[in-house]
Amino acid sequence: MVLRKEAMFFHVILTTSCNMQCRYCYGEAMEDVDEDFSGFDVDYSLPPKISYDIDWLRKFCEKDNDCVLTFYGGEPLLCPEEIMRIMDEVKVKHFMIQTNGLLLDKLEPAYLNRFHTILVSIDGNEVLTDYYRGSGTFRRVIDNLRLVRRRGFEGELIARMTVMEQTDIYEQVTWLLNNRDFSFSSIHWQLNAGFWKNDFARRDFERWSRDSYNPGIIKLAKFWVDKMEDEGIVLRLYPILGIANSFLHKGEKSILRCGGGWINYAIQTDGYIIPCPTMWGMKDYYLGHVSTLDPSRLRKIHLGEPCTKCEAFNMCGGRCLYAIVTKRWTSEAYAHVCKTVTNLIQAVHAQMPRIEKLIQEGKVMLKDFEYMKYNGCEIIP
Ligand code: SF4
Ligand code: SF4
């Protein structure tokens, strides 16, 4: 496998606090982590807010000016002063932010408009988003997104959906693409699956993934290519786009597509570097400290079994390092997640002859399938 020299990505965790109480938020993750956390040594006492010297971050990034920083939390916009200071003092290739969107109006346009990408959490239409994220959330986020565009933000705005049993994936994705409130052109989604210890037994994931989600993905892949055929548009539906991109670059093998632990890392509020933001506090995975490390010398974490023995590995890449190492779901339960992965791959594969024909005819271009990898869209939901 040939690895290109690519930019490195770092999630800068500014705070562990959040101004929301979603059904699957970071705060709940903190509550879920108990003494039964699969035998891992976890530091539960991380500073609630970025506590290391920002000059260390400046020096760290100076060693690799090509790196991309993504502000992350908790809710990163609870720390506007720190965001502005970092953007003033740290030289990087791009800044991005992953936010729940409620405080986007509080950041001055001079900073907001410098973001290459804003990933905003929204789960679909108003009823669904408010069900998952609390009453009134949808309106506030949509109002802020309109404001952000009015204030001149021209970068990519990605709707980041968390999906689970109440989500009809086809209905919600197509709604986000085309509605009167705010239509997105970039959408990513992630399954809430394999992240919590005891939820599989009380949930209906198996039936939902089989009867609703998987058929919805097949329908969505067809819809995606219909759109190319009818309008010459390649929508940025990241899970589908990422897989199609790999099929178009035949022979390209993927490793963990989120980049976690090999090209995409996270910096905790205390300055320790971890493979991904979800692995906060897991001391066995501390890779060093921002004050002393050189980004290019960061250790890479590689997945093991079952992924390395899986037929889908070259295309899937392993889905999620956190889920694989923590084994929050049993292998029987996780097999249903893997079925969603193979279904996604097959759904896109079935559409490839149509896509290749459209490229040959010049209706769409190969470059329409390019995207910034590791931008916070994990590709494999
Ligand atoms: S489908 Fe499942 S087992 Fe196979 S590589 Fe992906 S996550 Fe690993
Ligand atoms: S997919 Fe898993 S390993 Fe990758 S960033 Fe998300 S939680 Fe971390």
Side-chain angles (χ1 to χ4, degrees):
M1 176 171 24
V2 180
L3 293 180
R4 295 179 292 267
K5 165 66 186 123
E6 291 169 298
M8 294 188 69
F9 292 71
F10 295 94
H11 289 86
V12 180
I13 302 176
L14 292 174
T15 173
T16 57
S17 308
C18 186
N19 52 346
M20 294 183 72
Q21 292 188 320
C22 308
R23 287 170 191 258
Y24 33 66
C25 77
Y26 193 93
E28 277 183 332
M30 292 177 93
E31 277 178 31
D32 185 70
V33 178
D34 51 28
E35 65 283 354
D36 189 29
F37 193 65
S38 310
F40 291 100
D41 184 8
V42 179
D43 180 358
Y44 295 104
S45 56
L46 291 185
K49 208 170 168 180
I50 183 169
S51 67
Y52 55 88
D53 188 343
I54 286 175
D55 208 44
W56 291 343
L57 182 63
R58 181 184 64 75
K59 288 182 182 146
F60 177 79
C61 294
E62 240 171 35
K63 295 173 191 153
D64 178 4
N65 279 339
D66 260 356
C67 69
V68 177
L69 293 190
T70 301
F71 296 115
Y72 197 90
E75 172 46 48
L77 284 167
L78 289 170
C79 302
E81 298 300 325
E82 289 77 4
I83 289 177
M84 290 189 284
R85 195 173 151 211
I86 291 172
M87 291 179 85
D88 283 340
E89 294 178 15
V90 180
K91 282 203 180 67
V92 294
K93 189 172 178 188
H94 298 301
F95 287 106
M96 311 200 295
I97 188 165
Q98 185 161 321
T99 172
N100 61 31
L102 293 184
L103 299 172
L104 273 169
D105 56 326
K106 303 286 183 274
L107 195 64
E108 290 175 27
Y111 291 89
L112 201 64
N113 293 345
R114 283 177 58 200
F115 287 132
H116 177 277
T117 301
I118 298 176
L119 297 116
V120 66
S121 303
I122 190 161
D123 299 322
N125 64 23
E126 183 162 8
V127 172
L128 187 70
T129 298
D130 285 2
Y131 169 76
Y132 282 143
R133 312 183 71 81
S135 177
T137 302
F138 175 90
R139 281 287 144 212
R140 289 175 64 192
V141 173
I142 292 296
D143 286 349
N144 274 346
L145 292 178
R146 287 181 177 150
L147 183 73
V148 162
R149 282 298 190 207
R150 273 204 308 280
R151 285 178 170 176
F153 176 70
E154 292 178 346
E156 186 172 9
L157 248 177
I158 304 177
R160 245 196 94 90
M161 308 165 69
T162 301
V163 306
M164 53 190 290
E165 285 89 321
Q166 286 74 20
T167 307
D168 178 324
I169 191 72
Y170 179 83
E171 195 181 296
Q172 296 299 336
V173 169
T174 50
W175 189 89
L176 283 172
L177 287 169
N178 187 15
N179 66 82
R180 279 181 302 177
D181 290 306
F182 190 91
S183 291
F184 289 86
S185 54
S186 298
I187 300 175
H188 181 57
W189 60 91
Q190 190 175 43
L191 291 168
N192 177 20
F195 297 130
W196 314 95
K197 188 153 177 63
N198 299 314
D199 63 337
F200 183 79
R202 65 172 180 263
R203 284 175 51 186
D204 195 17
F205 184 84
E206 179 181 355
R207 186 206 55 77
W208 169 78
S209 60
R210 183 189 62 229
D211 297 344
S212 172
Y213 179 75
N214 287 342
I217 292 294
I218 294 170
K219 210 168 149 191
L220 210 46
K222 181 179 176 304
F223 162 86
W224 188 59
V225 185
D226 289 347
K227 192 85 174 168
M228 291 177 213
E229 242 167 36
D230 297 344
E231 299 173 41
I233 294 171
V234 180
L235 293 165
R236 299 176 86 77
L237 304 185
Y238 273 96
I240 296 176
L241 178 72
I243 299 293
N245 177 292
S246 292
F247 277 126
L248 290 169
H249 294 91
K250 295 178 176 60
E252 181 189 78
K253 292 180 183 175
S254 283
I255 44 181
L256 196 59
R257 285 177 178 269
C258 63
W262 70 274
I263 195 163
N264 198 346
Y265 296 83
I267 308 171
Q268 297 187 157
T269 48
D270 61 359
Y272 278 96
I273 299 178
I274 46 175
C276 98
T278 313
M279 297 174 85
W280 64 269
M282 293 176 67
K283 290 184 185 171
D284 298 337
Y285 287 89
Y286 283 13
L287 302 170
H289 196 268
V290 71
S291 58
T292 52
L293 262 179
D294 177 335
S296 65
R297 302 181 86 85
L298 262 167
R299 185 157 63 86
K300 296 187 194 310
I301 311 278
H302 296 291
L303 280 171
E305 292 182 16
C307 295
T308 46
K309 289 249 167 85
C310 171
E311 283 182 10
F313 185 49
N314 286 342
M315 191 53 84
C316 169
R319 182 175 179 259
C320 175
L321 175 67
Y322 172 82
I324 297 293
V325 301
T326 59
K327 295 186 173 47
R328 307 296 274 167
W329 281 16
T330 63
S331 50
E332 292 76 27
Y334 204 77
H336 299 293
V337 182
C338 293
K339 277 186 198 159
T340 70
V341 177
T342 50
N343 176 72
L344 168 68
I345 294 169
Q346 285 162 8
V348 177
H349 187 252
Q351 298 298 326
M352 290 314 294
R354 291 177 69 201
I355 294 173
E356 279 159 6
K357 186 163 171 280
L358 289 167
I359 293 172
Q360 274 166 15
E361 291 169 355
K363 187 103 189 188
V364 293
M365 315 281 273
L366 203 51
K367 68 172 173 46
D368 297 336
F369 295 81
E370 298 301 327
Y371 62 94
M372 182 203 264
K373 289 184 178 169
Y374 325 113
N375 64 351
C377 299
E378 299 92 342
I379 302 300
I380 300 294

